Amino acid sequence: MIRWNTDQTDLREGLERWGEALSADHIELEEQGRFPEDKWKLLRDTGILSLPFEEEYGGLGQSLLTTMYALEGLGEYNRDSGLSFSATTSICSTGIPVQHFGTDDQKQRYLPLIASGEAIGAHAITEAEGGSDAMAMTTRATRDGETFVLSGSKAFVSNGPIADVIVVYARTHPRGGPLGTTAFLVDRDTPGLTTGGCGKKMGLRTSPLCELYLDDVRVPRSAVLGRVGGGLMVLDHVMKREVLFSFVVNAGEMRHRLERCVAYAKTRQSFGRAIGSYQSIANKIVDMKIQLESARKWLYDTGEKLEAGEDVTVDLAIAKLVTSRSNLATSLAAVQIFGGHGYMSEYGLEQDVRNAVGGTVYSGTNEIQYNRIASMLGLGAGR
Amino acid sequence: MSNVDTIKNFVISEFLPGTAPAELAVDHDLLNDGVIDSLGVLKLIAWVEDRFELAVGDADLDPENFRSVEAIDHFVTHARAAA
Ligand SMILES: Cc1cc2nc3c(=O)[nH]c(=O)nc-3n(C[C@H](O)[C@H](O)[C@H](O)COP(=O)(O)OP(=O)(O)OC[C@H]3O[C@@H](n4cnc5c(N)ncnc54)[C@H](O)[C@@H]3O)c2cc1C
């Protein structure tokens, strides 16, 4: 178990005072499906967007684990899950790979903007024809002298409508298999890049998502992030942090949910007694506690292993599975514990269920996580 | 042991356990028939860098250099000569 030091707990508890402002009107905003620009500004002021980035580039230089711990605090205090999702997406999609793979120029150009939140990042991997099989992507990047020309389209790009820079993954070699993909840093205003298809989604509605169209988008060689052919390595590095950073936010949300349910179960009376005195309600809350603590253990344990440079393929898949399922299960349990109130939007609990479903799909679907574990056990078709 | 045998042994132990070395042709396409997937390729490159003391470094990752046992051997030989 990690014992957090005073600096770490101060960092996390410091977020508490922002909670109310970040959460304000979150139910209405979610209904309107609107990205809250004013709250993004607040989020910038909290410093949370700069946590894992080097101080030289305007970051706070915090470790992976400290960043996770603070992000868990964001989940605990901020009720606008879409806003939190946009934050972790910006950090992980762009800042994280630029920090690790970027050239000095790329770091100087993008990191201060992403760390301060002045610019918003996104990444585009999934295509309409399929997301799970990333190696089958058809968006192409063709070399033309010192430039690459990108053509194709991408689907479900979180932050797409508001992003200033998008990391686009495209095929640079038709038969390159896992070495046939390259990551490119594409600025929003690059000619030929357009967005559309910002359809309404089930949850996380304050985090906008859209399709991305690349119509002969010409970028310089210097826009390559990492190595030509190394796109899946960039993605692998990103996905590890994305799972830890975005799902630890869910752990914070689960903690808040648990506390809310405990308080409600102690005060809500039925048949002359607090509902928490009935075993079938108490057990639901105990299950929530077990699910929360299991998710936290897997997330932080995996984070520790990753920091130590160990192979986390299986751990990460388990952490993602355990957390996404726990988030969904606890959000459903909360609706049940609150009864009719839980079913009403104004309580914000039905929204949690819709948000939680997303976690079983993004960052590699739960089925794909099973495949990973099976493959590491020498079973199945792999991938 | 020749480099070809060393590479073959690694590929078999990591990606094709149970396969007899004679069954894996040196020109067998490892990338396109899915022997090595996106996780595997990371392992392969790290191993090549470590085992042959090469820095694949910032160079473009040309899939042709990693397509088969034979291709990896050529790549290692040339990269060592150039170093
Ligand atoms: C809220 C949200 C945000 C997202 N943000 C982004 C983003 O920012 N950038 C981005 O690029 N993408 C994003 N995505 C897309 C997401 O990554 C994909 O939806 C996901 O990878 C699945 O791809 P798909 O939707 O094409 O489903 P498919 O790959 O078509 O899969 C359909 C179903 O089949 C299952 N399946 C597929 N292959 C297998 C297999 N081999 N074994 C067993 N089951 C299998 C899947 O698990 C799924 O249940 C986001 C999605 C959501 C919901």
Side-chain angles (χ1 to χ4, degrees):
Chain A
M1 201 187 95
I2 305 167
R3 305 246 173 245
W4 304 105
N5 63 32
T6 322
D7 286 349
Q8 291 166 319
T9 48
D10 285 352
L11 189 64
R12 172 160 173 164
E13 279 158 20
L15 282 170
E16 189 171 2
R17 69 189 169 90
W18 298 91
E20 203 179 317
L22 289 171
S23 308
D25 302 327
H26 72 99
I27 293 169
E28 294 76 15
L29 285 165
E30 213 261 349
E31 272 165 14
Q32 294 157 14
R34 196 158 58 81
F35 173 69
E37 275 170 43
D38 49 339
K39 290 201 198 162
W40 184 262
K41 290 197 188 103
L42 282 180
L43 210 54
R44 291 179 60 182
D45 292 342
T46 66
I48 197 129
L49 297 164
S50 58
L51 283 168
F53 302 117
E54 291 157 25
E55 289 171 82
E56 192 187 340
Y57 299 105
L60 289 176
Q62 296 300 316
S63 69
L64 179 99
L65 289 171
T66 307
T67 301
M68 287 174 66
Y69 187 57
L71 284 169
E72 188 185 355
L74 180 68
E76 186 176 357
Y77 303 124
N78 172 29
R79 302 278 55 78
D80 186 341
S81 302
L83 182 67
S84 296
F85 188 70
S86 276
T88 51
T89 298
S90 187
I91 293 171
C92 297
S93 63
T94 315
I96 290 290
V98 168
Q99 172 149 284
H100 190 74
F101 297 96
T103 60
D104 286 346
D105 281 353
Q106 288 171 338
K107 286 186 185 177
Q108 272 160 23
R109 183 163 172 198
Y110 293 107
L111 274 187
L113 297 175
I114 292 292
S116 70
E118 190 180 336
I120 296 179
H123 57 178
I125 308 115
T126 309
E127 299 183 353
E129 295 307 311
S132 301
D133 187 2
M135 281 206 282
M137 69 174 62
T138 59
T139 294
R140 278 190 331 256
T142 315
R143 201 188 287 249
D144 181 15
E146 276 306 289
T147 62
F148 281 88
V149 181
L150 278 67
S151 50
S153 63
K154 296 285 179 181
F156 311 126
V157 182
S158 292
N159 285 354
I162 50 169
D164 300 282
V165 54
I166 303 164
V167 178
V168 177
Y169 293 78
R171 185 149 288 283
T172 34
H173 194 297
R175 290 176 55 253
L179 292 175
T181 307
T182 302
F184 295 90
L185 281 158
V186 185
D187 292 332
R188 175 29 153 275
D189 53 6
T190 313
L193 181 90
T194 50
T195 56
C198 310
K200 189 172 172 183
K201 61 184 191 296
M202 184 174 181
L204 299 171
R205 290 186 184 154
T206 52
S207 174
L209 168 154
C210 69
E211 288 171 17
L212 193 73
Y213 310 114
L214 301 132
D215 187 11
D216 289 342
V217 173
R218 194 171 282 273
V219 294
R221 171 74 175 75
S222 58
V224 170
L225 182 54
R227 304 182 232 179
V228 173
L232 292 185
M233 291 176 196
V234 177
L235 189 58
D236 179 70
H237 181 84
V238 165
M239 277 301 152
K240 286 180 173 134
R241 277 83 190 162
E242 181 173 295
V243 166
L244 295 176
F245 289 173
S246 77
F247 286 89
V248 85
V249 171
N250 294 154
E253 291 167 350
M254 282 192 261
R255 179 186 294 277
H256 170 84
R257 189 174 300 139
L258 173 69
E259 284 167 6
R260 213 177 146 186
C261 286
V262 169
Y264 193 72
K266 282 181 178 167
T267 52
R268 177 78 176 175
Q269 300 280 318
S270 184
F271 299 96
R273 282 161 57 185
I275 58 169
S277 67
Y278 298 112
Q279 209 172 38
S280 53
I281 292 292
N283 283 357
K284 279 193 215 318
I285 295 177
V286 171
D287 276 338
M288 288 173 88
K289 172 77 176 160
I290 295 170
Q291 284 155 338
L292 163 65
E293 298 304 341
S294 308
R296 291 190 79 243
K297 278 200 195 329
W298 273 106
L299 287 165
Y300 285 113
D301 200 49
T302 306
E304 270 186 304
K305 276 189 163 179
L306 185 60
E307 269 197 336
E310 292 175 37
D311 182 353
V312 294
T313 309
V314 170
D315 307 69
L316 200 75
I318 297 178
K320 199 258 167 177
L321 278 168
V322 169
T323 312
S324 62
R325 291 200 301 210
S326 299
N327 196 27
L328 185 55
T330 56
S331 65
L332 274 169
V335 168
Q336 197 67 25
I337 290 162
F338 274 70
H341 293 301
Y343 199 68
M344 303 307 288
S345 297
E346 66 187 280
Y347 273 70
L349 293 169
E350 61 85 28
Q351 187 192 90
D352 280 1
V353 178
R354 292 186 282 105
N355 293 340
V357 173
T360 66
V361 175
Y362 56 72
S363 304
T365 67
N366 283 9
E367 289 78 8
I368 294 300
Q369 307 302 334
Y370 267 95
N371 289 0
R372 291 232 164 95
I373 300 169
S375 143
M376 296 303 279
L377 293 171
L379 302 166
R383 313 227 149 76
Chain B
M1 201 189 285
S2 73
N3 282 353
V4 167
D5 288 337
T6 310
I7 297 163
K8 215 183 223 197
N9 284 347
F10 174 78
V11 170
I12 288 174
S13 70
E14 286 292 331
F15 309 111
L16 294 165
T19 307
E23 283 173 45
L24 176 64
V26 290
D27 60 353
H28 185 88
D29 191 332
L30 303 168
L31 299 182
N32 257 351
D33 79 351
V35 171
I36 301 182
D37 64 8
S38 54
L39 290 175
V41 84
L42 301 176
K43 247 190 222 170
L44 174 68
I45 292 170
W47 178 80
V48 167
E49 287 186 319
D50 187 50
R51 176 67 182 75
F52 299 104
E53 293 173 3
L54 290 179
V56 176
D58 293 334
D60 291 358
L61 285 168
D62 186 346
E64 300 315 330
N65 291 335
F66 297 93
R67 188 168 296 288
S68 63
V69 170
E70 194 174 43
I72 300 168
D73 177 46
H74 279 163
F75 170 68
V76 167
T77 310
H78 281 102
R80 279 182 147 179

